[in-house]
Amino acid sequence: MKYIVIFLFASIVSSAQITKEQLNIMPWPQNITLTEGSFLLTKNFKVNITGAPNERIFMGATNFLRRLDGRTGQFFQQGFVTGLNEVPDAQLQINCVRAAKIDLYEDESYLLEVTTNKITINATTDVGALHALETLLQLLQNNSNSFYFPTSKISDFPRFTWRGLMIDGARHFMPIDVIKRNLDGMAAVKMNVFHWHLVDDQGWRIEMKKHPKLIQMASDGNYYTQEEIKDVVKYASDRGILVVPELDVPGHASAILTAYPEIGSKVVKLNVNNGEKGQQFTQVQSYSVERNAGVFAPTLDPSNPKTYQLLSEFFDEICPLFPGKYFHIGGDENEGKDWDSNPKIQEFKKKNKLATNHELQTYFTMQLIPMLKKHNKVLMGWEEIMTKNMSKDAIIHSWKGSNEGMPAGKSLLDAAKGGYKTVLSNGYYIDLMLGVAEHYLVDPMPKNNTLTDEEKARILGGEATMWSELVSPATIDSRIWPRTAAIAERLWSNENVTDINSLRKRLNVISFRLEELGLTHLKSKEGLLRNISNNQKSEALLDLSNVCEPLKLYSRNKGGTEYQMYSPLTLFADACTPDASDAIGFDSAVINYLGNKTDENQAAVANYLNKWGAIYKDLTALSNNAPLVQPLLPLSKSLSAIAEQLLLKINNKQGLDDSALYGLLEKCDSKEYADVELAVYNSLKKLVQAKI
């Protein structure tokens, strides 16, 4: 009887056929086939591993079990996976042919097959198997009383070999736990390169045992010890992720020059009165760690032999910490002001027949190549390093947008045509606070390009960039996730996977699931709003945060001087995120209503307007004991005012005339309050303009 019940129960589960549209997989696989049926999950579920994998697969399989158990509460009997062929009759069989190298061009493919009584993963490498486990977790379905996997067959592999995320730990220091939880997030969406920006004007973040002045004078006590760095590298490797460090030179050098001013380019001339005539002497300029954001003049001196001596010594100490092949030397945003004003450097340019500062920087960068090659490293730099004389071994990192009529990402195409391997970040700057759709439609391989197959092969992929001028450890996750999952899909999935509605639907689920990894992109908002409200409960504050987004395109921090590196990042703009949830829902409701004015569609719009109509009154009351709410009142007043008038309009009741209504609308377009903007402005405009 017991077995009959189980059989009937499994039959009931399998009868609910799942469609592809119901799945929440990200990145979307290259090939997926669903069949009728399901694999019912029970506490007897076990994992077995065969083949010749790296031992990282044992940890990966164990973590998979714990995450699956956490979602389902099944109390699995298998605790840890520690060796090969431990449970030959296990329901999940994983076979890896060989151990993966943590490098580009590694085989990351997998074949995942789910039948009614068995799940099989076949992969060339253990990294491919880890990707398959992430997909299997995303396949999980449930009904009212059980969890199951739909019977299916998935054949999958990445489109691009470089699928990266850069985190800047120099501007605002990001503790190890922040780095590790984001590595877990990367692995969950099959990203494989972590670019760690470690040195900039605002700080040197690497422990240096042979050059301790760098951390004593230029880190404010916030740096990663060498043991911590090794631990992060291993943690990343265990998840199939390559770590690429960045030491930004010759510009962005304030921190380096704070410790070693003698290799700086700026000189100060002193007139000394020596009796009958004055004599001129030069004095080494002093530097200090930068506290603002922006581009600054301090630059290393490319004419000084000690510059190269010190850099070589830095690389000798840093390179062994990172076993990967690639080392990023920055090379961006060197304005050359201190070079232009330094007579010695100008003479050096003439002597070496260097006509421009760009050629001088190429000379500088070329000196770094043998320093890195000594440690079997390939030099990578931002697109400014690319000139006709730059070594073809260098990797060009494309980051600039449209400029002087040039298309976005032009340097990517130029690099590929010029014989360079290249990575795209233009379009993936997640710190710009743009919506996910802006990033999702950017492709490293532009449509209708004229590249040859050989040139196309030089486009390695892309990388999301999280600069940290305006983020703290408490807020950085909400700036990276969930939008970076969409970028991960663009870099993994077929180029034809571009449906925005499908993306948003799947992203909502993936975002929620990322929390099990310790990411704080959702939960951190609650703490920030509690601080702003002075621990008073307020639906109005939450409602306003769901229609507001931080100012975009670096307009929040005017001139880079409004916020210093120690300024508070605990304000309303820090609680708000791109893709404000109610703004997306409201826009959909407005489109549906204007397309078909049914009672149901009208009610959906009215629900939002009724909620916003009360916001100003509620926030005014809240502000009596919450000073941080005061800056929100003007914007909330504008929203409440137009919401009330639009309710009258859609109910065909007497309200303001069109001129007055447009006046209220324009107040909702203000970007003067609390460093946020109303993300519902365009949707409100549709209602104002509509003939109802």
Side-chain angles (χ1 to χ4, degrees):
M1 180 65 69
K2 173 183 175 184
Y3 297 107
I4 293 174
V5 170
I6 292 174
F7 175 77
L8 290 173
F9 184 57
S11 299
I12 293 170
V13 171
S14 65
S15 66
Q17 177 64 27
I18 295 294
T19 65
K20 289 183 182 179
E21 290 72 26
Q22 291 174 277
L23 297 178
N24 295 299
I25 303 176
M26 187 173 290
W28 191 256
Q30 300 292 343
N31 302 287
I32 178 170
T33 302
L34 294 175
T35 54
E36 189 170 347
S38 61
F39 176 98
L40 179 65
L41 195 64
T42 71
K43 68 179 182 179
N44 297 319
F45 182 78
K46 292 183 176 66
V47 179
N48 189 55
I49 298 171
T50 59
N54 181 281
E55 63 181 14
R56 69 173 66 89
I57 192 63
F58 304 132
M59 180 186 298
T62 300
N63 289 341
F64 163 82
L65 279 171
R66 296 290 74 75
R67 289 164 66 190
L68 186 61
D69 216 358
R71 291 186 192 181
T72 64
Q74 292 279 355
F75 288 84
F76 293 145
Q77 295 174 353
Q78 186 177 20
F80 298 88
V81 182
T82 59
L84 294 173
N85 211 27
E86 290 180 327
V87 192
D89 61 346
Q91 293 166 307
L92 172 54
Q93 294 287 332
I94 302 173
N95 181 63
C96 309
V97 177
R98 62 174 174 82
K101 297 177 181 177
I102 304 302
D103 198 359
L104 301 184
Y105 306 111
E106 181 55 288
D107 190 329
E108 300 177 75
S109 65
Y110 64 89
L111 179 64
L112 168 63
E113 188 167 7
V114 181
T115 67
T116 56
N117 60 4
K118 187 177 182 180
I119 301 174
T120 306
I121 291 173
N122 285 300
T124 303
T125 70
D126 45 77
V127 168
L130 291 175
H131 293 328
L133 289 173
E134 293 294 346
T135 300
L136 184 57
L137 277 168
Q138 293 175 358
L139 270 178
L140 184 68
Q141 305 292 315
N142 68 275
N143 55 28
S144 61
N145 52 20
S146 64
F147 294 89
Y148 62 95
F149 297 107
T151 54
S152 52
K153 190 171 185 178
I154 296 176
S155 174
D156 204 9
F157 55 88
R159 183 173 168 225
F160 292 101
T161 191
W162 190 296
R163 306 179 309 281
L165 169 65
M166 187 280 290
I167 292 181
D168 171 10
R171 272 51 177 267
H172 278 94
F173 180 72
M174 296 296 150
I176 293 296
D177 66 315
V178 174
I179 301 300
K180 285 186 173 181
R181 71 191 186 217
N182 278 283
L183 287 168
D184 285 327
M186 290 175 65
V189 293
K190 304 179 176 65
M191 300 182 89
N192 68 334
V193 179
F194 171 48
H195 172 182
W196 204 355
H197 187 84
L198 291 161
V199 177
D200 215 296
D201 290 292
Q202 293 80 4
W204 177 285
R205 305 301 182 194
I206 311 166
E207 178 190 21
M208 301 294 284
K209 296 179 179 178
K210 295 180 180 177
H211 297 86
K213 283 201 298 183
L214 287 164
I215 55 173
Q216 291 167 358
M217 302 177 66
S219 74
D220 295 316
N222 291 319
Y223 60 89
Y224 306 104
T225 69
Q226 294 190 10
E227 289 306 309
E228 286 175 327
I229 289 172
K230 291 176 184 176
D231 181 48
V232 166
V233 169
K234 184 181 185 305
Y235 194 89
S237 177
D238 286 342
R239 286 148 184 78
I241 297 172
L242 171 71
V243 181
V244 177
E246 181 181 352
L247 190 165
D248 202 350
V249 289
H252 288 277
S254 299
I256 296 174
L257 296 177
T258 298
Y260 292 97
E262 63 270 26
I263 62 171
S265 297
K266 188 171 184 177
V267 294
V268 177
K269 293 181 179 179
L270 299 176
N271 289 312
V272 180
N273 190 348
N274 187 19
E276 299 178 358
K277 61 180 180 178
Q279 291 183 320
Q280 263 196 353
F281 297 90
T282 60
Q283 175 180 297
V284 174
Q285 168 74 5
S286 62
Y287 298 87
S288 59
V289 172
E290 187 56 59
R291 303 304 182 187
N292 292 321
V295 180
F296 305 100
T299 310
L300 303 185
D301 182 354
S303 70
N304 187 346
K306 188 172 181 181
T307 299
Y308 302 108
Q309 176 194 334
L310 279 172
L311 286 175
S312 181
E313 292 170 2
F314 296 169
F315 289 135
D316 286 346
E317 191 165 357
I318 296 170
C319 284
L321 303 175
F322 299 93
K325 290 182 182 177
Y326 308 95
F327 199 109
H328 206 300
I329 57 86
D332 61 315
E333 297 181 323
N334 173 24
E335 295 180 327
K337 292 179 180 178
D338 288 355
W339 287 359
D340 292 337
S341 60
N342 188 317
K344 183 169 71 75
I345 292 176
Q346 293 305 306
E347 183 60 33
F348 182 84
K349 284 173 66 177
K350 290 178 183 178
K351 179 180 177 182
N352 289 277
K353 298 180 181 179
L354 302 169
T356 65
N357 284 340
H358 206 173
E359 291 184 16
L360 177 57
Q361 182 158 328
T362 301
Y363 172 92
F364 168 86
T365 306
M366 290 292 287
Q367 310 312 304
L368 308 186
I369 290 177
M371 299 180 197
L372 292 170
K373 192 169 285 187
K374 171 183 174 183
H375 298 281
N376 300 311
K377 301 285 191 255
V378 174
L379 182 144
M380 181 178 187
W382 301 104
E383 64 187 62
E384 287 93 329
I385 73 168
M386 183 172 61
T387 62
K388 62 182 180 180
N389 295 321
M390 177 50 58
S391 167
K392 301 298 182 184
D393 292 333
I395 297 176
I396 305 301
H397 198 162
S398 173
W399 70 277
K400 289 188 176 181
S402 300
N403 184 31
E404 297 178 356
M406 291 164 46
K410 180 179 182 298
S411 61
L412 184 89
L413 298 178
D414 289 346
K417 290 177 180 178
Y420 297 97
K421 292 178 180 177
T422 182
V423 172
L424 180 68
S425 277
N426 173 248
Y428 302 140
Y429 266 52
I430 49 179
D431 64 317
L432 291 175
M433 297 292 107
L434 299 173
V436 69
E438 298 271 356
H439 304 300
Y440 190 58
L441 298 180
V442 175
D443 197 304
M445 193 69 68
K447 292 188 182 300
N448 304 318
N449 66 76
T450 58
L451 300 176
T452 66
D453 289 344
E454 184 180 4
E455 290 166 347
K456 288 178 182 177
R458 296 185 188 124
I459 297 179
L460 302 179
E463 185 176 289
T465 48
M466 185 65 250
W467 300 106
S468 67
E469 287 93 338
L470 287 173
V471 294
S472 69
T475 63
I476 188 170
D477 293 4
S478 70
R479 275 54 184 141
I480 296 176
W481 306 104
R483 290 177 300 152
T484 294
I487 297 173
E489 178 162 282
R490 175 57 49 242
L491 301 174
W492 178 283
S493 303
N494 187 283
E495 63 183 318
N496 297 322
V497 178
T498 56
D499 188 296
I500 294 294
N501 291 328
S502 169
L503 170 77
R504 290 194 189 280
K505 174 253 182 187
R506 290 179 290 123
L507 200 58
N508 283 336
V509 176
I510 296 301
S511 178
F512 151 62
R513 289 303 186 192
L514 286 170
E515 278 197 312
E516 74 186 22
L517 301 169
L519 289 165
T520 64
H521 59 296
L522 297 177
K523 65 188 72 171
S524 63
K525 181 175 182 175
E526 181 183 345
L528 289 167
L529 293 181
R530 189 161 49 243
N531 177 66
I532 293 163
S533 70
N534 198 17
N535 202 30
Q536 302 173 82
K537 289 206 171 214
S538 172
E539 287 297 319
L541 185 60
L542 178 62
D543 289 340
L544 186 63
S545 74
N546 288 335
V547 295
C548 286
E549 296 177 358
L551 294 180
K552 306 179 190 308
L553 303 171
Y554 301 140
S555 59
R556 177 179 179 185
N557 189 15
K558 296 174 183 176
T561 59
E562 187 176 353
Y563 287 79
Q564 284 72 45
M565 292 306 114
Y566 43 78
S567 297
L569 294 170
T570 54
L571 308 178
F572 186 67
D574 302 298
C576 297
T577 63
D579 301 301
S581 57
D582 278 2
I584 295 170
F586 180 61
D587 192 59
S588 177
V590 169
I591 291 171
N592 291 338
Y593 170 65
L594 295 180
N596 186 6
K597 297 183 179 65
T598 63
D599 290 345
E600 182 181 2
N601 287 343
Q602 180 175 325
V605 173
N607 285 340
Y608 285 106
L609 296 176
N610 276 315
K611 180 165 59 175
W612 301 335
I615 275 184
Y616 175 61
K617 179 181 177 182
D618 292 347
L619 288 180
T620 299
L622 184 70
S623 70
N624 290 330
N625 189 33
L628 291 179
V629 174
Q630 291 288 343
L632 314 182
L633 297 182
L635 200 58
S636 65
K637 183 177 182 180
S638 298
L639 179 60
S640 289
I642 197 166
E644 291 170 356
Q645 292 301 316
L646 287 173
L647 271 172
L648 294 174
K649 181 174 181 176
I650 66 174
N651 287 314
N652 295 310
K653 295 182 179 179
Q654 185 64 41
L656 297 174
D657 60 28
D658 285 351
S659 176
L661 199 55
Y662 273 101
L664 290 180
L665 176 67
E666 290 314 301
K667 288 183 179 180
C668 291
D669 196 28
S670 173
K671 296 176 176 58
E672 298 178 1
Y673 304 107
D675 286 337
V676 297
E677 58 188 61
L678 276 173
V680 292
Y681 170 77
N682 288 327
S683 304
L684 294 170
K685 188 176 182 179
K686 292 174 187 176
L687 285 177
V688 170
Q689 294 175 334
K691 302 298 182 184
I692 298 174

